Amino acid sequence: MLEGLLSMGAGALYDSLVRGGPIAVDDPRAESADMAELFEKGFVRRDYRGDPTIAPVEPVRAVDHAILAAQQQVLDQQRAIVAARHQLDALQAAYRMANSSGDTADIEVVTDPQRIGQISFELCLSAREEFVTFSTRHFRKAPSVQTVMTLPAVVAERGVVLRNVCERAVLEFESSRAMVEGNLKAGWQMRAVPELPMKMVIADRHSALVPLDPTGMEGALLVRTPTIIAALRMLFELVWSQAVPVGAQETGSRNGLTPTQAKVLDLLATGMTDGAIARHMQISERTVRRYVSGLLEALQADNRVAAVYAATRLGWLN
């Protein structure tokens, strides 16, 4: 009864008072924790007309009062959140001073691999709108379902958009299909390109993590400079617009192609070999070659490069 406004015991006690009427002040229930809750929240009152009793407050007034109190509590919590956000800049500045090694406030050099991984996760937690990444062939662990970045529930509940562009080489490992499926299940949108200049992580438009060298093994830069972040976002959007979707996103039929033909064409456009396409799609190389041959014929192309060019010109590629 009245879940969310009263505990189960207090709700049951109030219900019995409403249905059965007042009770004497010396009733054993008068000293219970449930009765104390009812007094605190304005659901009962003492009545000294005649013999002293404890009487229920009329439901329409008691519940309305409780709802107003709950709304006030929500308002107070919202004010506390706003105040915390106002204090965030000062706290962040203090954190940078305590954890930096003499770098400027907006660019921090990080060389500890464990710390780099921690920052990447922290950036994911801080994202309010979008979290985007580049994945290259340089990694410490081969791509697999265990390397998928699974979001905490609080990030997923915020509706943060997740986008990843990976190099073709990332998809050529035997475990890449499980990795792609794991990413898609975790909510990621994925695309592939033949080559990327570097790894990269960007949270909204406030922070980015980029490597000091192409492999990312020498360390990374944590960047908070707005102009640099804007430039990195432009780079990501440019690459994203030219990248090819991978995974379940690409199964829709287009221009008369079957879903499998469309998928082979998309992977072909990344420069993947027949063997890599076969492993990714879990079909034989012979089947892949048959699909490629059919695509070349349909596009009236003599080779793969000409086929990709023709498919792009005709709008056959996503």
Side-chain angles (χ1 to χ4, degrees), residues 91-107:
L91 291 171
Q92 184 65 15
Y95 177 86
R96 291 175 186 172
M97 291 181 64
N99 291 275
S100 65
S101 55
D103 303 298
T104 64
D106 290 330
I107 300 179

Side-chain angles (χ1 to χ4, degrees), residues 3-299:
E3 292 86 350
L5 296 178
L6 294 173
S7 66
M8 184 178 298
L13 179 55
Y14 179 68
D15 182 64
S16 69
L17 292 172
V18 169
R19 299 177 187 278
I23 61 173
V25 293
D26 58 356
D27 187 293
R29 293 172 291 175
E31 300 299 325
S32 67
D34 292 331
M35 186 64 78
E37 180 181 344
L38 293 179
F39 272 115
E40 180 183 355
K41 295 183 177 180
F43 280 80
V44 294
R45 59 181 174 80
R46 289 182 175 86
D47 188 349
Y48 294 100
R49 294 172 297 178
D51 294 331
T53 60
I54 297 175
V57 174
E58 186 179 4
V60 67
R61 290 190 291 114
V63 174
D64 188 55
H65 172 77
I67 290 174
L68 289 174
Q71 289 174 334
Q72 183 61 47
Q73 185 178 11
V74 171
L75 181 59
D76 290 342
Q77 290 175 341
Q78 183 63 32
R79 287 172 177 163
I81 291 172
V82 171
R85 288 200 176 281
H86 288 161
Q87 297 167 14
L88 176 60
D89 290 340
L91 291 171
Q92 184 65 15
Y95 177 86
R96 291 175 186 172
M97 291 181 64
N99 291 275
S100 65
S101 55
D103 303 298
T104 64
D106 290 330
I107 300 179
E108 177 185 347
V109 178
V110 186
T111 57
D112 178 26
Q114 185 174 357
R115 175 63 181 146
I116 292 173
Q118 181 182 352
I119 291 174
S120 180
F121 187 72
E122 289 175 357
L123 290 181
C124 178
L125 287 178
S126 71
R128 296 282 166 183
E129 298 176 358
E130 191 167 42
F131 186 69
V132 301
T133 65
F134 280 168
S135 300
T136 70
R137 61 187 178 279
H138 303 292
F139 38 73
R140 290 181 172 83
K141 293 182 179 180
S144 70
V145 70
Q146 283 75 32
T147 62
V148 173
M149 180 181 285
T150 303
L151 293 180
V154 64
V155 178
E157 289 169 2
R158 286 201 297 265
V160 176
V161 175
L162 306 169
R163 292 192 289 163
N164 168 262
V165 179
C166 63
E167 277 189 339
R168 174 190 66 215
V170 176
L171 301 177
E172 294 182 349
F173 286 81
E174 292 185 4
S175 57
S176 65
R177 183 180 179 87
M179 180 269 295
V180 169
E181 291 176 349
N183 274 324
L184 295 177
K185 185 176 180 181
W188 287 86
Q189 301 174 40
M190 291 191 66
R191 294 190 178 185
V193 292
E195 191 173 8
L196 286 170
M198 61 182 178
K199 299 177 181 178
M200 184 169 68
V201 169
I202 306 177
D204 295 331
R205 288 169 175 77
H206 61 72
S207 303
L209 192 64
V210 295
L212 290 175
D213 69 305
T215 67
M217 304 300 178
E218 300 298 323
L221 292 176
L222 176 58
V223 182
R224 305 182 186 89
T225 306
T227 53
I228 299 178
I229 300 296
L232 293 174
R233 286 291 307 225
M234 290 182 66
L235 170 63
F236 179 87
E237 296 299 343
L238 178 62
V239 174
W240 179 265
S241 67
Q242 298 175 351
V244 176
V246 297
Q249 312 158 93
E250 30 174 347
T251 57
S253 177
R254 58 183 189 268
N255 301 293
L257 299 178
T258 66
T260 303
Q261 288 173 325
K263 189 169 185 176
V264 170
L265 177 59
D266 286 343
L267 296 177
L268 188 67
T270 71
M272 289 177 68
T273 63
D274 290 346
I277 295 174
R279 286 193 298 273
H280 185 75
M281 297 182 62
Q282 294 186 326
I283 57 179
S284 68
E285 286 192 47
R286 181 176 180 181
T287 301
V288 172
R289 286 194 291 271
R290 187 171 69 249
Y291 278 117
V292 171
S293 178
L295 289 169
L296 293 178
E297 182 178 350
L299 292 165

